[in-house]
Amino acid sequence: MIPINMLNLSNFKILNLQESENDYRFLVETKSPSPYYCPKCGTIANLYKHGKKNQLFFDLPMHAKRVGIYVKRQRNKCRECSGTFFENLPDMDVNRSVTNRLMDWIKEASLEKTFTSVAEEVGVDEKTVRNIFNDYVSELEAQTEFRTPKWLGLDEVHLLKNYRFVVTDVENKSVIDILRKRNKDVVISYLSKLKDIDKVELVAMDMWNPYKGAVNSVIPHAKIVIDNFHVVRLANEVLEKIRKANRQNVSAKEYWQLMRYRYVLLKRREDLNDFNDQIKLQVRIDMFSLLGQAYELKEQFFDI
Ligand SMILES: [Zn+2]
């Protein structure tokens, strides 16, 4: 005996239920009467039944089993225009073959979980989850109004083997957008679409040239601000080059001195609190005069 209300979908009558270890499969039909008019020509009350077809829809899992619902869907034919069409299905999204309530669940779940795991959990294929998610994102984007920030931040994040372009509102410490790529064309086209671009006063960025180029061409009035971290970092990069260049034509002992404890060179002198570290630094400065000079220049550059 199948409980009449087991699906909690009042527009459908359950005809049959099959159960396996992980799945329920219902067979249902609608309780509502067939449509009164032809959706193709608009003729009223001149239709007749023209066969049925089982169509599968997925629903929210029940009792830790995935739920599939076969709807025995009525096809109608119009005497006037000979057009055929299926009956309307309440509670179902006929494009995505899921119930409306499962659709809502998938939208939220796919914000947190992978498409594959959502698909696996409810029984639909991964592509359906992806499509529902993409529609949902477009829907959210259409509802959300982004205000162009006064202080715009252009940055990147390394995701799935690629640098992704990240746009931030520096003043309000929030991420506005993430794009797949960060090349100049992408940045230019993104900036060009921003509303009220005149309101941007400052653009914070690292030293990635395409950002500078794009900002200069789209918002030339904005001042570019580079975090000093990106500037002083260059001094350490040069110091490293000199350290590595020194490796040629040196004795084994000198080689060892160059390769070990590189951090004593890269740290600021005032941050080198350990006395042993201070000795290690002095040894290297005394042993390699060029490296010593480079170290002092690095320290002076940081002081600026
Ligand atoms: Zn018709």
Side-chain angles (χ1 to χ4, degrees):
M1 239 322 255
I2 311 160
I4 261 173
N5 199 23
M6 190 170 171
L7 276 171
N8 194 22
L9 289 172
S10 58
N11 293 304
F12 293 91
K13 188 168 88 187
I14 300 172
L15 304 172
N16 192 15
L17 169 60
Q18 288 182 342
E19 187 178 350
S20 66
E21 196 188 340
N22 297 312
D23 293 271
Y24 280 130
R25 283 290 177 275
F26 289 86
L27 179 67
V28 306
E29 65 183 8
T30 55
K31 288 180 187 168
S32 49
S34 42
Y36 187 60
Y37 72 97
C38 168
K40 297 196 170 165
C41 70
T43 303
I44 293 168
N46 204 2
L47 309 168
Y48 60 97
K49 291 186 159 87
H50 189 66
K52 288 184 174 181
K53 198 184 167 197
N54 286 355
Q55 293 181 351
L56 179 62
F57 293 84
F58 284 91
D59 192 20
L60 290 169
M62 198 193 294
H63 316 136
K65 289 176 199 274
R66 293 175 297 220
V67 174
I69 303 172
Y70 280 104
V71 179
K72 214 169 168 183
R73 196 173 180 191
Q74 182 65 53
R75 192 194 278 118
N76 298 299
K77 191 161 181 170
C78 171
R79 285 195 179 87
E80 195 65 33
C81 72
S82 298
T84 60
F85 53 93
F86 280 107
E87 64 177 330
N88 289 328
L89 295 181
D91 308 310
M92 303 285 178
D93 186 291
V94 290
N95 295 319
R96 300 284 180 225
S97 299
V98 294
T99 57
N100 290 334
R101 62 193 182 191
L102 179 62
M103 175 85 119
D104 292 339
W105 184 87
I106 290 175
K107 285 176 183 174
E108 294 305 319
S110 52
L111 289 173
E112 304 280 340
K113 305 177 190 177
T114 63
F115 297 150
T116 336
S117 72
V118 172
E120 172 73 11
E121 203 171 324
V122 298
V124 301
D125 64 26
E126 186 258 352
K127 203 175 146 215
T128 302
V129 178
R130 187 188 296 266
N131 288 336
I132 290 173
F133 177 79
N134 287 339
D135 289 351
Y136 184 45
V137 169
S138 313
E139 209 177 285
L140 289 177
E141 273 178 354
Q143 290 167 9
T144 315
E145 211 195 315
F146 288 109
R147 247 181 321 131
T148 301
K150 203 165 70 175
W151 303 345
L152 184 68
L154 308 182
D155 213 329
E156 58 272 322
V157 61
H158 200 249
L159 280 181
L160 300 173
K161 295 177 187 165
N162 270 304
Y163 281 107
R164 315 298 178 168
F165 178 38
V166 180
V167 187
T168 60
D169 178 339
V170 178
E171 194 181 15
N172 296 308
K173 300 190 171 94
S174 53
V175 173
I176 299 174
D177 225 329
I178 299 184
L179 278 76
R180 264 173 220 278
K181 292 183 176 172
R182 56 163 189 165
N183 52 309
K184 193 173 168 185
D185 292 346
V186 170
V187 181
I188 285 184
S189 107
Y190 183 83
L191 293 178
S192 309
K193 285 181 207 141
L194 285 181
K195 267 188 279 174
D196 305 323
I197 194 82
D198 300 342
K199 286 190 183 147
V200 179
E201 293 171 9
L202 303 175
V203 186
M205 63 178 73
D206 55 22
M207 293 167 84
W208 174 247
N209 226 6
Y211 291 163
K212 183 169 173 256
V215 168
N216 283 340
S217 70
V218 185
I219 18 180
H221 67 273
K223 275 208 169 64
I224 292 176
V225 178
I226 294 167
D227 187 324
N228 58 14
F229 163 81
H230 296 292
V231 181
V232 295
R233 202 169 57 105
L234 296 176
N236 268 338
E237 279 174 17
V238 175
L239 187 68
E240 277 291 88
K241 265 188 201 156
I242 293 172
R243 184 181 66 87
K244 287 176 184 160
N246 257 292
R247 284 184 303 197
Q248 265 103 54
N249 307 318
V250 291
S251 70
K253 191 184 171 210
E254 286 171 326
Y255 186 84
W256 185 86
Q257 296 282 11
L258 277 173
M259 299 308 285
R260 299 281 310 266
Y261 308 119
R262 55 193 274 273
Y263 68 90
V264 300
L265 291 162
L266 298 175
K267 265 192 164 183
R268 295 302 314 273
R269 183 173 261 138
E270 66 251 31
D271 296 334
L272 221 52
N273 297 318
D274 183 11
F275 184 61
N276 285 326
D277 282 346
Q278 291 166 11
I279 291 183
K280 283 172 195 152
L281 172 64
Q282 200 52 50
V283 168
R284 281 156 184 80
I285 289 175
D286 294 344
M287 256 175 124
F288 309 98
S289 68
L290 188 62
L291 190 61
Q293 283 173 42
Y295 175 81
E296 295 305 336
L297 288 171
K298 183 267 286 185
E299 284 296 292
Q300 286 170 29
F301 188 65
F302 270 71
D303 286 340
I304 302 170

